[in-house]
Structure formats: structure tokens, C-alpha cells
Amino acid sequence: MRAAALICAGVVSAASLCTPQGRVFLSVERDLTRKIPLALSVAGDDRDAMGRLAGVIRQDLAFSGWFAPTVVPRQPQKFPSETEIVLAVTQAGAALEVSAYSPADTNALYSRTYPWPASDLRAAAHRIADDAVAALTGRPGIACTRIAFTMKQETLRIGVVDYDGYGETTVAAPPGDCLSPSWFFGKDALVFVCAQGGASSVMTVELRTGTLRRLYAGAAVCGRPAVNPKWPELAVPLGFSGNPDIYRLGREGKELLRLTISPVIDSSPCFSPDGERIAFVSDRSGSPQVYVMRRDGRDVRRVSFGVPHASSPAWSPDGEVLAYAVRRRGGSGIFVRNMSSGAVRELAPDEVWLEEPSWAPDSRHLVCTAVREFRRNLCVVDSFTGERRMLLPDGERFSAAWSP
């Protein structure tokens, strides 16, 4: 876990990549842009299933950003010379036995058993990959996560897709435009804005059942609702008359409390991981900038400087970094601010237009809206290396939210 405190610097110096229980597997001085060479061996009676399992695990490990995985034959005579870790997956009757070890020392770094055959092969592969990432790095995996977003059809709809772009679905929704989703206290429900006939409201949907509920209606909803990760409440930009302010709303849609009182626009709230602070956007300084306040509205301070226009703040789950979009000449980019040191840097400065960042649970990856050839679609960015991958190919999608 020690590595987590050093992530924002981009280098782990004498860092320990370890299990959550603290057992050290790798003690290295490592530039975090360098990936750990890993040999993946998958063996079992059903070669077709084992091949598909290996393909998903390999991709998950590569997408984690920590590893450079290569699939190798079971028990090869010799591993590739650069191999630092071997991950072996073996079918043993009604189970999959998974272990990791160093080629120089065959004592298991960790081992785990999973039921087999699996009802969902992809889900089983994702779980194996996430457990491997957590055991070997001390950081959470992201293979079992999903991403919600707004999609443009005849009206605006809400979509959900696996983190790797697989299994896109459209969420049940009422008539009208549905947009700006957030995950609603876990992975099983969403909260979003519904606009119809000149009125707007905050609604929730249970993803398994499609059950819809109107959480709040009473003022114009002027942006994405933010969910507090620690307290049963949301922060919502509402406009009762004129410019919107930030309000705190109870989980059941009651207990409305005004947090900002300003003649200007206050919007885009985002809670800190400890639930005690809210980042938001305000043009009280003359142009939109990012500010932070306590969850009761006190102690407001500005945190974005030297840029003409900042928007869409997103707090990393480890609390170390605040990301936000900055309008710059010819486009928009994602900037990250270390909340301890105040250091600011731009991610992927060669990308013409990135906006609306949302963090993955690993505090390493973000999903953003990328504008290319006048169309919006979703792009995943590795904040350590700057590497990017488009999440989905065709269509127009934006305003994404990564699940916990």
C-alpha cells in the first residue's frame, strides 16, 4: 500500500508492491511508466474455453497499466528472458487454481481457487485479473467495473458498458432526454437527470430490474448529481430562479440544503473520497474556475489558477488528485492537481479535445469525453503514462461515470 502515497509523483522509489495484507512480493525502484513483464500460462481440458479465458485475462492485465503480459504454453521449458512474474491458471476438476511466482523462485507469491466451469467466462476472467492486480500491486483492479454514459439517439439516453467496451446496453428510462448519470451508492443503480417538456428532475434506476424512481422535482436541475461516498446524500446544482447554486439533497430526495449563495453560476459538484469536501465550478472570479468547500458550504477556496476556463472536477478515489477540464487554444485538455503539493500537470497534451473526466477505482485511469471529427465519444486515459484507448467505436457518447 506504500506505493499509493507515491503514485502522483510518477515514480515508486524503493516501493513495495504488495498484498492488501502487507506481504511484500516485489521491492523495486520503478518508473511507473514501465510495465512489469508477466508470463500468463492457462491450461485445462477445454482448450477453447482456456484460450478465451487467457485472452480476457491477458487484456485485463494489459489494461491495468501495471503489466506487459504474454501468453505462454503451460510449463514452458524457458520463460521469456524479461519475465519478472508468472501467473499460472490451471483447471483442476471443478476448480481453477491460480498462482503467481517469480521464475527465479517457484514459491507462490499468492494463490487462489475459483469454481469452474464458470457461468460467465468473461466475469470469471475479470475476477482473476482483478485479484492478481490487487495481490501483486496493492492497488484495486478495474476489470470488474462498468462505465455509465449519455448516448445520443433520437433523444438522449443512458448507456452502460463494461470497462473494456464489451456488452453495451441501454438503460430503462422515462420519455424525454436522460443524461448526466452517476452511480447511486454502489454498482447496482444510477442517478441521472431527466428533462421533458421544459421541466427537469433527478431520477434513479435499478439496473437489474429497470425500476425507475423520481428522486427530486421542484427546480431546474442544472447538471450531474454527485453522490457522497460516505454519507447518504447527494450534491445537485439547482436553479430556483436565475443562476444555479449547489444544494445538498438526502438520499431519499428530502432534506434539501442550500450550500452556495451567489449571484453567479455554481455547478458541477463532486465529493471528495472521505465525503467531507465538495469540488465545484463557479464563475465568481469572472470566468469558470474550480473551487473546494466543506460539505456544509463553508471554507470555500479556489484551486484552479492560470487557466481561462476550468470545468468538470473529478476527485481521484485515493484523494490525492483532482482532475478537471481546461479550455485552451484550439480545444480542451485534462489537468490534474496534486491536492497535497498543489503541483499541476496536463494529461495527454497532444490530444486536441478531452473533457468531462471520471476516475476509475484504481486512481490511475480516467474515462473522458473525446471530441474527434466533430463527434463526441469516450476515451480511457492512463494518467501515469498518457496512453489512451477509445472505449467504443461508432456513435456519439459523452458525460461518463466510472463505477466504484
Side-chain angles (χ1 to χ4, degrees):
M1 289 296 195
R2 179 62 180 161
L6 302 169
I7 289 299
C8 294
V11 175
V12 174
S13 177
S16 299
L17 301 183
C18 58
T19 63
Q21 290 74 29
R23 180 184 172 192
V24 175
F25 290 157
L26 302 173
S27 293
V28 295
E29 292 187 3
R30 182 178 298 280
D31 179 350
L32 291 181
T33 63
R34 177 181 176 270
K35 303 177 190 299
I36 301 169
L38 180 146
L40 172 64
S41 173
V42 180
D45 297 335
D46 188 338
R47 291 191 175 184
D48 178 66
M50 292 299 107
R52 288 184 287 122
L53 188 74
V56 178
I57 295 173
R58 187 206 64 78
Q59 178 176 268
D60 288 343
L61 294 173
F63 282 174
S64 77
W66 295 105
F67 304 103
T70 302
V71 178
V72 299
R74 180 61 176 155
Q75 296 180 339
Q77 296 297 315
K78 186 178 182 181
F79 291 105
S81 59
E82 68 274 11
T83 300
E84 296 180 23
I85 298 176
V86 177
L87 183 67
V89 181
T90 307
Q91 180 188 351
L96 287 177
E97 295 179 352
V98 179
S99 62
Y101 57 92
S102 166
D105 180 4
T106 56
N107 292 325
L109 301 176
Y110 88 97
S111 61
R112 206 152 296 172
T113 301
Y114 303 84
W116 185 262
S119 58
D120 186 333
L121 185 145
R122 291 186 64 85
H126 291 333
R127 183 182 172 195
I128 291 170
D130 275 357
D131 287 349
V133 169
L136 296 171
T137 73
R139 307 285 289 186
I142 59 174
C144 293
T145 62
R146 292 186 291 172
I147 295 171
F149 52 88
T150 305
M151 64 170 67
K152 188 175 182 181
Q153 298 180 342
E154 292 183 4
T155 58
L156 297 180
R157 301 281 90 185
I158 303 297
V160 174
V161 70
D162 291 352
Y163 95 108
D164 56 2
Y166 185 85
E168 181 182 14
T169 59
T170 303
V171 175
D177 286 327
C178 299
L179 63 158
S180 303
S182 292
W183 293 89
F184 190 65
F185 301 102
K187 295 183 177 182
D188 298 325
L190 295 171
V191 59
F192 60 94
V193 179
C194 180
Q196 184 181 22
S200 56
S201 58
V202 178
M203 300 198 67
T204 65
V205 59
E206 299 288 338
L207 295 180
R208 292 178 182 173
T209 64
T211 303
L212 293 161
R213 180 165 69 105
R214 195 175 304 277
L215 190 68
Y216 175 82
V221 184
C222 303
R224 184 200 302 269
V227 176
N228 192 319
K230 297 298 183 182
W231 299 90
E233 63 190 22
L234 300 86
V236 187
L238 299 175
F240 281 90
S241 59
N243 292 329
D245 281 292
I246 308 296
Y247 288 77
R248 204 170 72 198
L249 181 67
R251 177 174 180 162
E252 300 303 319
K254 303 175 182 178
E255 303 171 359
L256 190 66
L257 174 66
R258 187 174 182 177
L259 299 181
T260 63
I261 302 175
S262 173
V264 297
I265 296 174
D266 294 330
S267 63
S268 303
C270 168
F271 281 99
S272 61
D274 64 5
E276 295 300 328
R277 293 170 291 170
I278 299 173
F280 66 101
V281 175
S282 176
D283 60 0
R284 62 187 64 191
S285 65
S287 65
Q289 299 293 335
V290 177
Y291 293 78
V292 171
M293 64 181 171
R294 293 189 185 182
R295 60 182 280 264
D296 60 5
R298 295 183 299 158
D299 297 338
V300 178
R301 63 186 180 95
R302 181 175 167 178
V303 296
S304 66
F305 298 93
V307 295
H309 185 292
S311 62
S312 304
W315 225 306
S316 63
D318 63 8
E320 294 288 337
V321 176
L322 188 68
Y324 50 90
V326 170
R327 291 285 177 89
R328 47 175 168 68
R329 186 172 183 178
S332 175
I334 303 301
F335 284 60
V336 290
R337 182 183 194 271
N338 185 300
M339 297 304 286
S340 297
S341 68
V344 178
R345 63 187 177 93
E346 183 177 4
L347 305 181
D350 57 323
E351 190 75 42
V352 174
W353 202 293
L354 289 175
E355 57 189 10
E356 299 179 318
S358 175
W359 286 97
D362 63 359
S363 298
R364 173 172 184 153
H365 293 88
L366 305 97
V367 59
C368 308
T369 300
V371 181
R372 294 177 177 178
E373 297 179 355
F374 306 102
R375 295 182 69 85
R376 293 172 291 181
N377 215 330
L378 303 179
C379 179
V380 175
V381 181
D382 186 328
S383 67
F384 294 173
T385 66
E387 293 174 311
R388 282 147 282 169
R389 61 179 172 90
M390 296 306 295
L391 185 64
L392 291 159
D394 301 322
E396 186 161 0
R397 305 170 187 87
F398 53 97
S399 191
W402 209 311
S403 72

